[in-house]
Amino acid sequence: MGRAPCCSKVGLHRGPWTPREDTLLTKYIQAHGEGHWRSMPKKAGLLRCGKSCRLRWMNYLRPDIKRGNITPDEDDLIIRLHALLGNRWSLIAGRLPGRTDNEIKNYWNTHLSKRLISEGTDPNTHKKLLDPLKELKRRKNNKSKNRSNNRNKQKNKSKSVANVGPEKPKLHLPKPVRVTSFSLPRNESFDWNVLSGSSGPEIRGGYVGSEMVNNVNPWCNFKDGENGVGVGFLVGDEDDHDDLVNGSDFECQSDLPSGDNSLAKLYEEYLDLLKMEETQVDLDNFAESLLI
DNA sequence: AACAGAGCCAACCGCCTAATG
DNA sequence: TCATTAGGCGGTTGGCTCTGT
């Protein structure tokens, strides 16, 4: 027996949302606000799973969603953030106002990963590929294999249950710390162009997880003795400079409440990731690349 | 014009964590 | 401390559209 589904699927609508459903959901949320997704569909008069409602709202109906093509600046930012954070789409999306994790994930899989390969970079490790053409071919083959496998699966859906092969062990990387609203003073001095490149978008404001925290800056310019100015995570106590990536001196002021260690957790987790993965991100190079 | 294959992306699935009792 | 629940996340699917033959 597998895990029970999140909610009873009996009699629930699935598939694409109709304009009427969109309207019902939007009106309900406008009147009552987000949250309580499980009970929401019933109250809103929708025959949908709560998760489905949440997804529809988050990825499509929310008024602050930016529609339209992803700009080259956003491209650039996504690639840089992916090099640092990996497939943590919600964190990446959190730094692109108006963009959703789903959108960025799709865009990465359909555009950016291909682009990186064609430029000779491995989209997973962000290291140089020895043979980009080979990699492109390999991915194409995998994709078409999957496609035909899926089609076969679809065909055999009604048949085999006993026919299950050995289960592939799944490795789960630690998830980002979810930072819900905590109030922090504005930090107007931070320039997001440092992160997004000199021609980057004019983004001001910190996004951690899926929640925007007004102008919070978990990143910080710092002075490195040899390399000049770089970028690092701002962690905990300002006096504790050892906590900063590559142990450089802070240049910015931290207004983080001393009791809140969410960002510290995030940073620790990030360091763990770096330790865990063979493909270590070279932060010095990364910091330098941000300044080009 | 018809078909096949590839591309795209909204939606679903299953797992994880945080919150709650 | 443990069990349960809700919300959130990343991976995957599948149907529609586009493109090439």
Side-chain angles (χ1 to χ4, degrees):
Chain A
M1 274 283 278
R3 184 191 162 97
C6 71
C7 50
S8 167
K9 300 274 194 317
V10 182
L12 295 183
H13 284 172
R14 300 186 62 187
W17 280 64
T18 63
R20 187 180 162 273
E21 287 177 311
D22 282 347
T23 309
L24 281 173
L25 181 60
T26 307
K27 280 188 176 167
Y28 183 86
I29 291 176
Q30 279 169 355
H32 302 94
E34 292 179 36
H36 306 290
W37 297 107
R38 208 174 171 97
S39 55
M40 177 183 291
K42 211 175 177 184
K43 291 178 184 169
L46 287 159
L47 283 167
R48 289 272 180 181
C49 162
K51 272 188 172 186
S52 183
C53 293
R54 180 187 158 271
L55 206 71
R56 183 64 178 170
W57 174 255
M58 296 301 217
N59 289 334
Y60 199 83
L61 298 174
R62 249 171 33 196
D64 56 331
I65 284 176
K66 196 196 277 182
R67 297 265 141 220
N69 294 339
I70 292 188
T71 65
D73 286 338
E74 286 174 315
D75 265 14
D76 189 48
L77 186 55
I78 293 168
I79 292 168
R80 287 166 191 272
L81 287 168
H82 186 272
L84 194 60
L85 300 166
N87 293 358
R88 298 162 90 171
W89 306 115
S90 65
L91 276 180
I92 295 172
R95 292 186 171 275
L96 289 149
R99 301 294 185 186
T100 69
D101 53 357
N102 211 28
E103 186 180 13
I104 290 171
K105 182 171 62 184
N106 283 333
Y107 188 68
W108 177 268
N109 289 330
T110 55
H111 293 90
L112 292 180
S113 62
K114 275 183 230 159
R115 203 184 92 192
L116 285 182
I117 291 170
S118 68
E119 287 170 359
T121 306
D122 186 323
N124 298 320
T125 63
H126 293 262
K127 287 180 176 174
K128 283 281 161 212
L129 275 171
L130 294 174
D131 194 345
L133 282 176
K134 207 174 166 185
E135 179 64 16
L136 263 179
K137 267 188 186 173
R138 192 181 66 79
R139 283 176 179 248
K140 248 185 183 174
N141 285 340
N142 279 350
K143 219 178 175 186
S144 48
K145 251 187 212 170
N146 285 343
R147 236 165 215 278
S148 60
N149 280 346
N150 290 340
R151 289 201 171 125
N152 288 337
K153 260 190 215 166
Q154 193 70 15
K155 278 183 195 168
N156 299 332
K157 233 180 187 176
S158 53
K159 288 184 189 172
S160 66
V161 178
N163 221 358
V164 188
E167 280 199 21
K168 213 170 45 174
K170 242 184 173 177
L171 183 68
H172 290 277
L173 292 175
K175 294 212 169 190
V177 177
R178 206 163 284 146
V179 184
T180 50
S181 56
F182 58 92
S183 60
L184 288 161
R186 299 171 72 88
N187 179 358
E188 293 292 341
S189 63
F190 181 71
D191 184 357
W192 279 87
N193 289 334
V194 171
L195 185 63
S196 58
S198 56
S199 61
E202 289 210 359
I203 304 165
R204 286 182 183 273
Y207 284 74
V208 182
S210 58
E211 298 276 336
M212 175 171 178
V213 183
N214 280 337
N215 292 302
V216 174
N217 170 22
W219 299 86
C220 204
N221 297 344
F222 61 84
K223 277 184 195 160
D224 183 295
E226 287 176 26
N227 301 323
V229 178
V231 176
F233 253 106
L234 183 58
V235 179
D237 191 340
E238 287 172 55
D239 295 325
D240 190 2
H241 291 195
D242 291 336
D243 278 348
L244 187 64
V245 175
N246 71 13
S248 305
D249 294 327
F250 278 117
E251 190 177 65
C252 65
Q253 298 298 309
S254 164
D255 287 313
L256 278 173
S258 55
D260 192 302
N261 64 350
S262 300
L263 290 174
K265 276 188 191 167
L266 185 61
Y267 171 66
E268 278 168 21
E269 186 194 347
Y270 167 67
L271 279 187
D272 284 344
L273 270 175
L274 289 183
K275 280 180 207 157
M276 270 173 53
E277 291 178 356
E278 289 175 5
T279 55
Q280 286 212 355
V281 177
D282 184 334
L283 279 170
D284 285 333
N285 289 343
F286 177 63
E288 272 179 30
S289 76
L290 295 173
L291 297 170
I292 295 168

